[in-house]
Amino acid sequence: MADKEATVYIVDMGASMGEKHNGRKKTDLDWAMNYVWEKITTTVATDRKSAMLGVIGLRTDRTENELDSEDSFEHISVLQEISQLLLPGLKELRGKVQVSDTNDGDAISAIVIAIQMITRHCKKLKYKRKIVLVTDGRGSLDADGISEITKKVKADGIELVVIGVDFDDPDYGFKEEDKDLEKLTNETTLKALVEDCDGIFGTMQQAIEELGIPRLKATRPVHSYKGQLTLGDPENYDSALCIDVERYPRVMVRRPLSASQYVQRSDLSNGNISTQSSATMMPDADGAEPNSLTTVRNNRTYQVMDEEAPGGKKDVSRDDLAKGYEYGRTAVHISESDLTVTKLETQAGLEIIGFIPWATYERYMGMSVSCVVIAQKTNSKAIMALSSLIHALFELESYAVARLVPKSDKEPVITLLAPSIEVDYECLLDVQLPFAEDLRSYRYPPLDKVITVSGKEITEHRNLPNDALSAAISDYVDCMDLSTFGSDDEGGPAEYMNMTDTYSPVLHRIDQAVRWRAVHPTEPVPPPYEILTRYSKPPDPLVVKSKRQLGKLVAAADVKKVPPKVQSRKRNRNEIKPLSGLNVSALLGNKTKKMKISHENPIPEFRQALDTSDSIEGIRQAAKELSAIIETQIKDSFGDVKYNRAIEELGVLREEMIEMEEPGVYNDFISSLKGKLLGEELGGNRKEMWYQIRKAKLGLIEKKSSEQSSVDEEEAKQFYRLAD
């Protein structure tokens, strides 16, 4: 379980924050809020009830706090009490953060209010307490009683962070020129306060720059196995080895955020239902929340054929159904008693079944993410025993092979246990190994020689690199070496693309877009951070440096330009224009005789039929034959077995009709197919096939895709909808 957190953000909204400095196009408040919104939305995205935050406005037009009766606490407003902040509250908070018309308000007094809010909320409970002050340092500052504030911050374990707009930071290398005396004095006072509280003091320039570096969150692992590591049979032999251990994941695959679907509530929709995903759901024009939406819930019904029932089908309960398994086109029933025979009854355990040398393990054998096996934390005897086993494996350069059953009645897996000895801990690293049935052996021709049919080995061949090509590619690879292209802190050579500096663009780009959209629902999403795209292409200096070696490689490999494609016009398909200018088709003779498209190989034969057709009627006849095959496959499909094949053929038909400039042929067929699917004319209820057609966007061909089409974009969208 994650630790409880209570963070209070103090945002300076004084009139001076509405100014623009140092050539920025944004006001100081808008620029500083990039940092604040990034931190707040990161907390909101966790959706943790234990991650709470509050927001205080400094130098506001109004005064709204518990100590507003005192003069020193004027122009300070509590915008958000400490609580879990969700998306509706975030949108409400966004409307409250505005530049005020006053410069009155004391930052030290705002810190006092933040301390009081944290103390009242957290009491004596265990919390991570934090106060973040964002200011330009241009307001008044009362330093009286600052020593008492320091004692309170230290006593309550509060982390104080002060981020200043255009504050001087020698370590970062920023200094504002022509700074007025009041701001310089306030900076000095705030910096002394932060240093006394052992907090963090920095400039907003550095904070904004570091927003582009993804923050890696360390999660608290949950054990996947807790029991004994055994060597031998402890039930029958006293000499068997038993060690109490725990198994935790060492690394886990993180998945990007997924979209959720919402539908309008039935009590508010008045019969009009619209489905949206969380990626496209936007607030109303006036900023109202989409409270009329609710999550989509799936409901399954089961039917069997019954001639006496209305419509020829009867609804049945799931409990009345028997589990069946597909075998060809037949559904085979297996009773519960027979099913238990196929299940292996197992007991939880981690048993060592053998040892192997390091050299016998190949890296490709790993089939899972790695986990760590450690001794029971409070068992000193187990810690000593596991340490002995780890050192024995290390000294003998061996791995242990174990049989793991995480929980009773779970399927057993074979794991490899490797010793790992670090300065501060020792453990066994384990990764799943394949069974014999998991291995597939394939034979590939060698890369350094060609073996003829008679068994003769040829080392010089047009498909084999010669010495000149091997030398050219070797020189080019050496010139593009990234292992020493970078530089360390002292200016020496270092690895350019260090693994610790690389991040997943998919994960962090999606997170960036979601956080931005939460605060800016109508503005375009900004480009990805530079660090996410830095390694998507080789560095320019290295490309320039290796240009000569690349030219030699191109010459040695005899690289030639691909012949240009002749654009199809008026039903002429794309053809490669030979460099020689010869008419290959004429040299090979007439085109093959037209044939009927078969069910076994429809797509290649359909394209071949289009190549051999010399009239519009031939194109339409080929499309008609493929259309009939698609309908037959849907009609004969057992469930959705043949749906993917039909979707592929439908996509080819649509693509070819666009290229042949005959969109009407496809539009007529897809309209007819829709009627047959929804009218249950192709072997019963085939609505699932229609949903797959919608998902693949294989509807009508509109004018945007083909100029010859008479279907506009609105009509194409309407085609996907089901009639009421």
Side-chain angles (χ1 to χ4, degrees):
M1 181 178 177
D3 295 329
K4 295 181 179 180
E5 301 176 6
T7 304
V8 176
Y9 294 91
I10 304 174
V11 180
D12 190 346
M13 300 189 298
S16 61
M17 290 289 286
E19 301 173 2
K20 301 177 182 179
H21 296 91
N22 292 327
R24 292 188 293 266
K25 297 181 180 180
K26 293 183 177 180
T27 63
D28 290 348
L29 179 60
D30 291 339
W31 185 58
M33 287 306 296
N34 288 333
Y35 170 81
V36 178
W37 290 133
E38 185 79 12
K39 295 297 182 181
I40 291 179
T41 51
T42 300
T43 303
V44 173
T46 62
D47 199 25
R48 285 170 40 211
K49 294 183 178 180
S50 58
M52 304 183 183
L53 59 89
V55 181
I56 296 176
L58 171 62
R59 296 198 293 169
T60 57
D61 293 326
R62 302 170 61 184
T63 302
E64 296 179 1
N65 60 76
E66 293 185 356
L67 304 176
D68 54 7
S69 58
E70 302 182 23
D71 295 340
S72 58
F73 294 95
E74 290 183 350
H75 300 286
I76 300 175
S77 301
V78 177
L79 307 180
Q80 167 75 30
E81 291 287 351
I82 298 179
S83 62
Q84 182 190 11
L85 187 63
L86 300 177
L87 188 59
L90 180 63
K91 295 183 182 299
E92 182 181 352
L93 178 63
R94 183 167 57 92
K96 296 179 180 179
V97 179
Q98 303 290 339
V99 177
S100 67
D101 296 328
T102 181
N103 282 322
D104 296 334
D106 181 18
I108 301 297
S109 300
I111 294 177
V112 173
I113 294 176
I115 295 174
Q116 186 176 4
M117 290 173 59
I118 292 177
T119 303
R120 184 178 67 253
H121 177 80
C122 300
K123 300 181 177 64
K124 297 296 183 180
L125 301 177
K126 185 179 180 181
Y127 271 85
K128 287 185 176 180
R129 300 168 169 87
K130 187 176 183 180
I131 297 175
V132 180
L133 170 62
V134 176
T135 179
D136 63 355
R138 296 182 182 276
S140 59
L141 204 66
D142 186 3
D144 293 341
I146 200 170
S147 58
E148 298 298 326
I149 296 175
T150 302
K151 294 179 182 178
K152 180 63 175 177
V153 169
K154 285 187 174 181
D156 291 354
I158 300 175
E159 180 185 5
L160 179 60
V161 179
V162 175
I163 307 295
V165 177
D166 296 331
F167 276 17
D168 296 341
D169 190 342
D171 296 335
Y172 177 67
F174 177 82
K175 180 177 177 61
E176 185 182 21
E177 301 296 337
D178 300 328
K179 184 176 296 185
D180 60 76
L181 181 61
E182 182 184 32
K183 181 174 181 178
L184 182 61
T185 304
N186 291 342
E187 278 188 38
T188 305
T189 303
L190 291 174
K191 185 174 183 179
L193 172 62
V194 171
E195 290 177 350
D196 293 340
C197 296
D198 299 326
I200 299 175
F201 181 87
T203 182
M204 184 60 68
Q205 278 82 348
Q206 182 179 5
I208 294 292
E209 181 180 317
E210 291 182 353
L211 289 180
I213 303 176
R215 293 289 185 267
L216 302 182
K217 183 181 66 174
T219 58
R220 183 173 296 179
V222 178
H223 62 79
S224 57
Y225 171 76
K226 193 173 184 179
Q228 288 189 332
L229 170 65
T230 61
L231 177 59
D233 187 358
E235 295 183 358
N236 298 321
Y237 301 97
D238 296 337
S239 59
L241 175 66
C242 297
I243 305 175
D244 294 324
V245 297
E246 298 175 1
R247 180 175 183 260
Y248 294 91
R250 191 184 190 208
V251 293
M252 294 292 290
V253 178
R254 183 187 168 193
R255 307 293 182 186
L257 293 174
S258 58
S260 303
Q261 285 192 334
Y262 296 87
V263 66
Q264 193 171 7
R265 286 167 49 185
S266 58
D267 55 341
L268 299 177
S269 62
N270 296 325
N272 297 322
I273 299 178
S274 63
T275 304
Q276 292 180 319
S277 72
S278 59
T280 60
M281 186 176 62
M282 299 291 294
D284 298 335
D286 57 355
E289 295 298 324
N291 292 328
S292 60
L293 299 180
T294 183
T295 56
V296 176
R297 297 178 178 85
N298 295 324
N299 184 25
R300 290 183 177 269
T301 58
Y302 301 90
Q303 295 179 329
V304 295
M305 303 299 294
D306 188 354
E307 297 180 356
E308 299 179 357
K313 294 182 179 180
K314 179 179 67 173
D315 291 341
V316 294
S317 172
R318 178 182 174 86
D319 298 334
D320 297 333
L321 298 178
K323 185 177 293 185
Y325 297 86
E326 184 180 344
Y327 185 75
R329 293 196 60 188
T330 306
V332 180
H333 165 63
I334 299 180
S335 62
E336 292 293 335
S337 58
D338 294 336
L339 193 60
T340 56
V341 178
T342 63
K343 291 185 177 180
L344 179 65
E345 295 182 0
T346 58
Q347 297 294 329
L350 180 59
E351 308 169 11
I352 297 178
I353 58 178
F355 301 92
I356 60 172
W358 287 357
T360 58
Y361 171 72
E362 300 292 344
R363 292 292 297 270
Y364 67 83
M365 293 182 178
M367 295 181 62
S368 66
V369 296
S370 59
C371 297
V372 294
V373 177
I374 61 174
Q376 201 174 64
K377 299 175 183 178
T378 57
N379 191 334
S380 58
K381 183 178 179 181
I383 294 174
M384 183 63 68
L386 185 63
S387 177
S388 301
L389 176 62
I390 293 172
H391 281 268
L393 290 173
F394 183 80
E395 293 173 4
L396 296 176
E397 298 184 352
S398 299
Y399 295 136
V401 180
R403 176 181 182 270
L404 171 65
V405 180
K407 295 181 181 179
S408 298
D409 295 330
K410 290 282 188 179
E411 294 182 356
V413 296
I414 302 299
T415 62
L416 183 82
L417 302 178
S420 176
I421 302 176
E422 302 293 340
V423 177
D424 52 348
Y425 71 93
E426 300 172 346
C427 67
L428 290 173
L429 302 178
D430 83 77
V431 65
Q432 183 180 344
L433 293 176
F435 290 99
E437 294 81 1
D438 298 324
L439 293 177
R440 299 290 185 271
S441 298
Y442 299 97
R443 295 179 65 88
Y444 296 97
L447 299 176
D448 58 344
K449 57 187 174 182
V450 174
I451 302 177
T452 63
V453 178
S454 61
K456 183 180 179 181
E457 296 183 358
I458 302 175
T459 56
E460 293 184 3
H461 190 269
R462 60 184 178 85
N463 292 335
L464 297 177
N466 53 32
D467 295 340
L469 180 58
S470 299
I473 189 65
S474 178
D475 294 341
Y476 180 65
V477 171
D478 293 340
C479 192
M480 290 291 290
D481 185 13
L482 296 175
S483 61
T484 58
F485 182 74
S487 59
D488 54 19
D489 297 337
E490 299 177 356
E495 184 179 2
Y496 171 72
M497 188 177 174
N498 194 290
M499 288 298 296
T500 57
D501 297 332
T502 58
Y503 304 93
S504 171
V506 175
L507 295 176
H508 299 292
R509 174 57 173 164
I510 292 178
D511 290 347
Q512 176 195 4
V514 170
R515 291 194 299 267
W516 178 270
R517 180 61 69 227
V519 182
H520 309 88
T522 58
E523 297 181 17
V525 179
Y529 295 129
E530 184 271 337
I531 196 170
L532 299 180
T533 59
R534 178 184 302 170
Y535 304 117
S536 61
K537 59 181 180 180
D540 293 336
L542 206 58
V543 173
V544 175
K545 177 183 176 183
S546 60
K547 188 175 182 180
R548 185 170 61 88
Q549 285 77 6
L550 179 60
K552 292 182 178 180
L553 176 60
V554 170
D558 192 21
V559 178
K560 297 180 180 179
K561 186 177 180 181
V562 177
K565 284 187 177 181
V566 179
Q567 296 296 326
S568 63
R569 304 263 313 174
K570 300 295 183 181
R571 304 180 181 86
N572 292 330
R573 297 173 60 80
N574 288 354
E575 297 178 357
I576 298 297
K577 183 179 180 181
L579 294 176
S580 62
L582 297 177
N583 189 340
V584 180
S585 299
L587 294 176
L588 295 178
N590 295 330
K591 296 185 178 180
T592 58
K593 185 179 179 180
K594 297 179 181 178
M595 63 178 68
K596 187 176 180 63
I597 301 174
S598 65
H599 287 256
E600 291 75 18
N601 199 23
I603 293 179
E605 293 180 4
F606 171 66
R607 285 175 169 158
Q608 186 178 1
L610 295 180
D611 288 334
T612 58
S613 66
D614 52 4
S615 64
I616 300 177
E617 192 61 34
I619 295 174
R620 294 179 177 175
Q621 179 62 29
K624 183 178 180 181
E625 293 178 10
L626 183 59
S627 302
I629 292 175
I630 294 173
E631 290 185 354
T632 302
Q633 288 179 345
I634 297 174
K635 185 175 181 179
D636 296 341
S637 176
F638 182 79
D640 59 353
V641 173
K642 297 184 179 181
Y643 285 0
N644 290 338
R645 186 175 178 183
I647 288 293
E648 181 183 5
E649 294 165 356
L650 198 60
V652 171
L653 177 61
R654 190 178 194 273
E655 176 184 345
E656 294 294 341
M657 290 302 101
I658 293 176
E659 186 174 356
M660 290 293 179
E661 300 182 354
E662 290 292 341
V665 176
Y666 178 82
N667 290 343
D668 293 342
F669 168 66
I670 195 65
S671 300
S672 173
L673 181 62
K674 176 183 177 182
K676 293 179 180 180
L677 291 175
L678 302 182
E680 301 185 0
E681 299 178 18
L682 297 178
N685 187 355
R686 298 291 184 181
K687 288 186 178 180
E688 179 64 26
M689 178 62 188
W690 173 246
Y691 293 141
Q692 291 196 23
I693 292 176
R694 291 176 56 189
K695 182 179 179 181
K697 297 182 179 179
L698 297 177
L700 296 174
I701 300 175
E702 69 276 11
K703 292 181 180 179
K704 184 178 179 181
S705 302
S706 176
E707 296 180 357
Q708 285 70 29
S709 176
S710 59
V711 179
D712 56 21
E713 186 174 357
E714 184 61 30
E715 185 178 353
K717 291 181 180 180
Q718 186 68 27
F719 178 75
Y720 287 116
R721 301 174 184 171
L722 299 178
D724 296 335

